């Protein structure tokens, strides 16, 4: 588990991340929504697990958006993997708009869609997300249901993390 200690994380902007009590339990999360996506469609905020790289993996966490879906109809939270640097990585975006839930890769600072899930995050409750990679096969799940599968081998091993395009979220029970 990687949530027990925020010292295991390396945030892009430390002031935007904190341990908070939510439902009587400590969660790690993006604590504000006032940030922008970066140029080329890269994530506006991220926090990576320190000093570890992964090739084949299964990442799982409980996560919830802290956004108001009635006023922000494209709220998101993201799992980052294959991270080489700020301009080269994959991310699985779970979004409150079904047309925006998809797997992306950022190459040279520009993102490209790999696969769409046609699925919307239904509410701001905690849900279990899972992203797994075996070789060049990538699968994404939401509450135990596979939502997409894709094949891409642009990035082999890399770091894993969590983040937001431009929205806040809380993460708990993270395991790899």
């Amino acid at each position: 588990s990687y949530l027990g200690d925020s010292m295991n994380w390396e945030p892009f902007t430390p002031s935007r991340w904190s341990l908070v009590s939510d439902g009587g339990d400590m969660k790690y999360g993006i604590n504000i929504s006032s940030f922008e996506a970066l140029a080329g469609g890269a994530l506006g905020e991220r926090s990576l697990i320190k000093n570890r790289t992964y090739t084949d993996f299964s990442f799982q966490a409980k996560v919830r958006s802290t956004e108001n879906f009635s006023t922000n109809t494209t709220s998101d939270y993201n799992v980052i993997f294959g991270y080489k640097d700020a301009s080269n990585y994959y991310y699985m975006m779970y979004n409150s708009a079904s047309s925006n839930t998809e797997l992306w890769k950022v190459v040279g600072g520009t993102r490209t869609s790999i696969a769409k899930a046609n699925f919307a995050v239904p509410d701001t409750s905690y849900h279990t997300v899972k992203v797994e990679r075996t070789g060049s096969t990538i699968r994404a799940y939401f509450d135990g249901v596979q939502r997409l599968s894709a094949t891409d081998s642009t990035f082999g091993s890399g770091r894993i993390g969590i983040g937001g395009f431009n929205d806040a979220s809380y993460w708990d029970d993270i395991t790899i």
Side-chain angles (χ1 to χ4, degrees):
S1 174
Y2 289 92
L3 185 58
D5 186 347
S6 62
M7 297 303 292
N8 291 326
W9 296 89
E10 185 178 316
F12 177 60
T13 309
S15 63
R16 293 181 182 157
W17 291 85
S18 59
L19 283 174
V20 296
S21 180
D22 188 40
D25 190 14
M26 295 304 288
K27 317 293 185 196
Y28 184 58
I30 306 171
N31 56 33
I32 64 167
S33 303
S34 59
F35 63 93
E36 301 280 330
L38 301 178
L43 294 177
E45 192 52 63
R46 64 186 175 272
S47 188
L48 304 169
I49 296 170
K50 285 184 179 178
N51 305 317
R52 295 190 185 266
T53 59
Y54 300 86
T55 303
D56 291 348
F57 65 87
S58 179
F59 171 99
Q60 184 169 297
K62 291 180 183 173
V63 60
R64 81 173 187 90
S65 175
T66 58
E67 300 291 329
N68 181 339
F69 284 11
S70 62
T71 57
N72 182 353
T73 58
T74 58
S75 301
D76 67 87
Y77 40 79
N78 301 268
V79 176
I80 304 159
F81 59 100
Y83 186 91
K84 302 293 185 190
D85 57 41
S87 298
N88 298 284
Y89 56 93
Y90 296 105
Y91 66 92
M92 177 60 210
M93 176 183 282
Y94 294 91
N95 200 290
S96 61
S98 63
S99 61
N100 293 347
T101 298
E102 58 191 298
L103 176 62
W104 296 93
K105 68 178 170 182
V106 177
V107 179
T110 302
R111 78 177 180 171
T112 303
S113 178
I114 297 173
K116 286 188 169 275
N118 196 27
F119 167 77
V121 173
D123 53 43
T124 59
S125 297
Y126 279 96
H127 295 279
T128 301
V129 297
K130 182 166 91 171
V131 175
E132 57 186 22
R133 178 180 178 166
T134 306
S136 61
T137 302
I138 302 163
R139 292 182 182 88
Y141 301 81
F142 189 88
D143 285 340
V145 176
Q146 183 176 319
R147 297 298 178 173
L148 67 74
S149 179
T151 303
D152 192 276
S153 59
T154 303
F155 306 118
S157 65
R159 296 175 70 190
I160 292 178
I162 55 179
F165 193 67
N166 59 357
D167 298 302
S169 57
Y170 290 158
W171 297 77
D172 195 19
D173 299 337
I174 297 170
T175 59
I176 303 172

